Amino acid sequence: MSPARPALRRPEARLALALAFAIAAAVFVAVFLFGRANTPDYTATLFGQADTDAVRLKAQLATGVLGLAALQLLLALWMYRRLPGVRRVPGPVPLTHRIVGVVLFALTVPITVHCVRAYGVQLTGSRVAVHSVAGCFFYGAFAAKVLLVRSRRLPGWALPLAGGALVVVVVVLWYTSALWHFNGDSLPVLSLGHHYLPPG
């Protein structure tokens, strides 16, 4: 992947951007509707763990995802030469960025499967609603980023915007679930309300 892309204004660039946004929206809607249609099964297990053990395991996995997202951001800044004092990008950096991205995505899958099976997409309670919508948005943004990575027709801001959106949504997901769990079922700083369901 080339770290710098010219800001093209050709119709092909606009079409590629529109396609990326359309795919992101379609994935978001599909995940949202699937989650809404799902009948929650509060006995669902995650790697054999159930109830509070499953919630704890999800919080630990989500913390791992957060750490990988921070590493992804660091690697992206390195590739784009946005780190102070960085003038060259070693060859392994882009490959490492891709590998970390694949691992990050893979870690989200069991978390998401358990969330959808156990709770679905719920909009009751501020914390749960924000978490549910952010989870749907994550997969839409990820789909858009995959498409943008493979395109050479896009303006230079498109890929950093998609990657930045992914990092932000990972932070929101972690804050509304893992931190909520680690903090005794409450959110520090912001108050998004309480709900009887574990983080989903």
Side-chain angles (χ1 to χ4, degrees), residues 44-193:
T45 61
L46 175 64
F47 299 127
Q49 303 295 312
D51 300 324
T52 56
D53 290 335
V55 173
R56 184 184 310 109
L57 179 55
K58 278 200 304 184
Q60 293 165 347
L61 290 173
T63 301
V65 170
L66 179 68
L68 290 175
L71 179 57
Q72 279 289 80
L73 178 60
L74 177 66
L75 291 169
L77 292 172
W78 195 350
M79 285 193 302
Y80 280 84
R81 295 177 174 87
R82 295 292 186 264
L83 290 177
V86 170
R87 286 186 164 76
R88 59 181 295 273
V89 180
V93 171
L95 177 60
T96 303
H97 181 75
R98 291 176 185 171
I99 292 172
V100 170
V102 170
V103 174
L104 185 156
F105 181 82
L107 271 181
T108 70
V109 173
I111 301 172
T112 303
V113 169
H114 183 269
C115 283
V116 171
R117 286 179 58 214
Y119 314 114
V121 171
Q122 299 194 23
L123 303 177
T124 54
S126 301
R127 180 193 66 81
V128 174
V130 169
H131 186 74
S132 293
V133 171
C136 299
F137 181 82
F138 172 84
Y139 287 99
F142 190 89
K145 184 173 185 291
V146 168
L147 182 67
L148 294 174
V149 161
R150 300 185 180 280
S151 177
R152 293 293 181 266
R153 309 173 188 172
L154 298 171
W157 54 262
L159 188 56
L161 177 65
L166 278 171
V167 172
V168 170
V169 78
V170 165
V171 172
V172 170
L173 286 166
W174 179 82
Y175 179 81
T176 55
S177 60
L179 184 59
W180 176 85
H181 171 71
F182 293 141
N183 199 52
D185 297 351
S186 67
L187 291 174
V189 184
L190 297 178
S191 177
L192 295 180

Side-chain angles (χ1 to χ4, degrees), residues 10-22 147 151 153-154:
R10 292 199 298 256
E12 295 87 357
R14 290 194 294 270
L15 180 61
L17 274 176
L19 181 60
F21 283 117
L147 182 67
S151 177
R153 309 173 188 172
L154 298 171

